[in-house]
């Protein structure tokens, strides 16, 4: 229940929600509790897939990507770990799309850890790859994330670009 509370509290903070958050937390906790336990089974399954070297690299990288996204933003260290694993494998097999996604998730992890300058470096790398492979969605995500990180360090001019 405390993990649900943390998720709800962080969501409220991110939405800049003000008001009766305790009612929202209680209501959300009631509906999410069954989903959280099912989610843990999925996390365990994904971890097994990502660590199974007998499986194709593409399947393992997808599991790592899903795991890194699962932990963001409440457990940035876990996000960072899985994104680093995906990045290493993506570079080893030459998968630029997976490399770009991993760099983006590393940027998000560093952003959530308060390492905005590192986040910017990862998002810049993600943007470069997205442009290189013609991934317009990836470009948009990287640009939005770059804007957020630049804004948070007070670099408003860069954030607008």
């Amino acid at each position: 229940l405390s993990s649900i509370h943390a998720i709800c509290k962080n969501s409220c903070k991110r939405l800049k929600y003000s008001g009766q958050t305790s009612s929202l937390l209680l209501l959300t906790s009631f509906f999410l509790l069954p989903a959280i336990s099912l989610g843990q089974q999925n996390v365990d399954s994904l971890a097994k897939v990502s660590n199974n070297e007998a499986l194709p690299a593409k399947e393992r990288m997808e599991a790592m990507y899903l795991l890194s996204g699962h932990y963001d933003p409440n457990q940035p260290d876990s996000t960072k770990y899985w994104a680093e694993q995906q990045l290493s494998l993506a570079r080893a097999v030459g998968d630029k799309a997976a490399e770009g996604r991993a760099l983006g998730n590393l940027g998000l992890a560093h952003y959530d850890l308060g390492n905005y300058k590192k986040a910017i470096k990862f998002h810049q790398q993600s943007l470069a790859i997205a442009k290189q492979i013609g991934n317009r969605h990836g470009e948009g995500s990287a640009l939005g994330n770059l804007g957020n990180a630049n804004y948070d360090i007070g670099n408003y001019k860069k954030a607008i670009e």
Side-chain angles (χ1 to χ4, degrees):
L1 192 58
S2 64
S3 63
I4 295 171
H5 181 266
I7 292 168
C8 295
K9 188 174 181 181
N10 194 23
S11 296
C12 290
K13 185 179 98 182
R14 281 184 174 243
L15 294 172
K16 299 195 184 327
Y17 176 83
S18 61
Q20 298 178 349
T21 56
S22 60
S23 298
L24 176 65
L25 292 174
L26 181 61
L27 183 62
T28 307
S29 299
F30 177 76
F31 289 107
L32 285 180
L33 190 56
I36 296 294
S37 58
L38 176 62
Q40 186 58 47
Q41 290 173 343
N42 290 336
V43 168
D44 293 342
S45 296
L46 288 170
K48 285 180 184 176
V49 169
S50 69
N51 292 319
N52 186 346
E53 293 184 12
L55 292 174
K58 194 119 183 126
E59 286 181 37
R60 294 177 58 216
M61 286 185 294
E62 185 62 25
M64 292 170 190
Y65 174 73
L66 292 171
L67 284 164
S68 66
H70 170 79
Y71 288 110
D72 178 64
N74 298 305
Q75 296 176 337
D77 288 323
S78 294
T79 298
K80 186 177 162 217
Y81 171 80
W82 288 110
E84 286 171 342
Q85 299 304 305
Q86 181 190 11
L87 180 60
S88 177
L89 185 54
R91 286 181 172 163
V93 299
D95 187 329
K96 285 294 195 183
E99 182 180 351
R101 286 191 305 270
L103 288 164
N105 276 349
L106 277 168
L108 291 173
H110 282 285
Y111 178 87
D112 289 332
L113 289 165
N115 303 330
Y116 301 120
K117 290 184 180 184
K118 273 189 173 181
I120 288 169
K121 288 180 182 180
F122 283 115
H123 289 307
Q124 287 171 332
Q125 291 175 57
S126 178
L127 176 61
I129 289 173
K131 286 180 177 181
Q132 178 186 3
I133 64 173
N135 179 354
R136 300 287 289 162
H137 183 284
E139 284 182 52
S141 293
L143 288 168
N145 291 328
L146 281 166
N148 290 336
N150 277 298
Y151 179 85
D152 285 343
I153 61 171
N155 196 347
Y156 305 119
K157 199 171 191 176
K158 273 269 198 212
I160 293 172
E161 293 175 7

